[in-house]
């Protein structure tokens, strides 16, 4: 009987000491959470949740994992056997007040239409065009004088050209722009990088280089796109930390594209 007990004990050892795959899902009060870092502190392994909040990570019973994101309070769990039965569910609490207050600016007032000013400007435009293109204003061969309808068409086309809007072209955000922004902005500053994005301070400039390679549109630097830009920084910081944790600084430089 004692030999049988010892045999079962020996057969159970692999389950206690060898890694398994932990399948999990991360929620908050609104639903699943994507791009959250899940770190096995015991085995120094890391992954992130996908768009459905799911993740898979090598782990074993008694390992300690942490779940972290810039918008949520970090969560640390000591794994038990039941965590490996199916899909383990973990809930995060959202941080509501820890980020700097977002400055909201009032929309600019619409210019007041002044008929006298408008007529003066229109007259100057017409006179300038007559001066540059006199051939367009020659009278038509008609017994009744100049072709007024033709002149009206010319003026209408001239106004259309003036009012035509050309959409701006936005270039990717450069390393220099990142460095300048985090030096001068009260919102995007070093504290946000180290405390919220969890980037080590001595890796700040390497992170700027990494973001440069990601070719983010400089349209994100506009004031009204501030929160969208922050979301992009959060995602890039998670990817940056994964590369930094798994492979080190040299691999970040090679894999930033």
């Amino acid at each position: 009987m004692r030999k049988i007990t010892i045999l079962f004990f020996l057969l159970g050892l692999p389950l206690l000491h060898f890694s398994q795959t932990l399948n999990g899902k991360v929620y908050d009060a609104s639903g699943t959470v994507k791009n959250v870092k899940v770190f096995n502190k015991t085995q120094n392994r890391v992954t992130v949740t996908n768009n459905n909040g799911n993740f898979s990570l090598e782990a074993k019973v008694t390992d300690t994992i942490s779940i972290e994101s810039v918008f949520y309070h970090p969560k640390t769990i000591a794994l038990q056997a039941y965590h490996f039965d199916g899909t383990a569910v973990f809930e995060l609490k959202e941080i509501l007040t820890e980020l700097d207050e977002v400055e909201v600016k009032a929309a600019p007032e619409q210019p007041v239409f002044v008929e006298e000013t408008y007529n003066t400007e229109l007259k100057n435009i017409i006179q300038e065009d007559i001066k540059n293109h006199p051939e367009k204003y020659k009278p038509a061969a008609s017994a009744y004088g100049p072709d007024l309808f033709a002149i009206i068409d010319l003026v209408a086309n001239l106004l259309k050209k003036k009012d035509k809007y050309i959409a701006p072209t936005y270039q990717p955000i450069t390393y220099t722009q990142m460095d300048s922004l985090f030096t001068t902005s009260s919102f995007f500053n070093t504290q946000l990088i180290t405390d919220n994005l969890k980037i080590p301070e001595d890796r700040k400039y390497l992170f700027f280089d990494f973001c440069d390679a990601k070719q983010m549109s400089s349209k994100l630097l506009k004031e009204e796109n501030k929160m969208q830009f922050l979301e992009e920084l959060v995602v890039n910081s998670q990817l940056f930390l994964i590369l930094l944790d798994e492979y080190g600084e040299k691999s970040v430089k090679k894999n930033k594209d």
Side-chain angles (χ1 to χ4, degrees), residues 6-229:
I6 293 174
L7 178 61
F8 276 108
F9 176 75
L10 293 175
L11 290 175
L13 284 178
L15 298 177
L16 297 175
H17 296 284
F18 291 100
S19 294
Q20 306 172 63
T21 298
L22 173 66
N23 295 311
K25 183 181 285 287
V26 179
Y27 284 89
D28 65 4
S30 302
T32 57
V33 185
K34 64 180 181 178
N35 295 322
V36 172
K37 184 174 74 170
V38 184
F39 179 50
N40 186 331
K41 294 183 175 180
T42 307
Q43 299 190 32
N44 197 30
R45 296 176 181 273
V46 67
T47 187
V48 293
T49 58
N50 62 18
N51 289 337
N52 297 316
N54 297 318
F55 72 89
S56 295
L57 182 66
E58 290 300 310
K60 67 178 188 305
V61 176
T62 72
D63 279 0
T64 299
I65 66 170
S66 66
I67 305 175
E68 301 176 4
S69 173
V70 67
F71 295 115
Y72 298 90
H73 293 284
K75 190 181 190 74
T76 301
I77 307 102
L79 295 178
Q80 306 294 324
Y82 66 84
H83 286 117
F84 296 89
D85 295 335
T87 300
V89 177
F90 304 96
E91 183 179 2
L92 294 181
K93 300 295 184 182
E94 189 173 4
I95 298 174
L96 300 178
T97 59
E98 292 185 10
L99 285 177
D100 293 342
E101 183 178 336
V102 178
E103 181 182 353
V104 179
K105 293 185 177 180
E109 295 183 0
Q110 295 295 326
V112 179
F113 178 79
V114 181
E115 183 177 359
E116 183 178 354
T117 302
Y118 178 82
N119 290 337
T120 301
E121 291 179 351
L122 178 60
K123 181 179 178 181
N124 291 337
I125 291 172
I126 294 174
Q127 288 179 344
E128 184 68 20
D129 195 64
I130 292 174
K131 183 169 141 184
N132 295 330
H133 306 285
E135 71 280 359
K136 294 193 298 184
Y137 296 87
K138 288 181 180 180
S142 170
Y144 301 97
D147 189 344
L148 295 179
F149 293 104
I151 295 177
I152 292 173
D153 286 341
L154 288 172
V155 173
N157 289 333
L158 190 62
L159 291 177
K160 286 181 182 178
K161 290 180 182 178
K162 181 187 177 186
D163 295 336
K164 187 176 181 180
Y165 173 75
I166 301 176
T169 301
Y170 294 98
Q171 299 298 322
I173 299 175
T174 65
Y175 173 95
T176 303
Q177 288 175 306
M178 287 285 292
D179 187 23
S180 175
L181 175 67
F182 279 89
T183 300
T184 59
S185 172
S186 60
F187 183 84
F188 295 103
N189 51 34
T190 299
Q191 183 180 0
L192 184 142
I193 291 179
T194 57
D195 295 353
N196 300 117
L197 300 183
K198 307 299 182 184
I199 303 295
E201 188 167 1
D202 61 344
R203 295 293 184 269
K204 178 176 72 172
Y205 296 107
L206 180 61
F207 178 60
F208 291 167
D209 194 31
F210 180 80
C211 290
D212 184 334
K214 289 303 177 183
Q215 299 284 290
M216 293 183 292
S217 172
S218 57
K219 185 178 181 180
L220 295 171
L221 298 177
K222 296 173 71 68
E223 180 69 22
E224 62 267 26
N225 297 329
K226 178 186 289 186
M227 297 312 297
Q228 184 181 350
F229 182 40

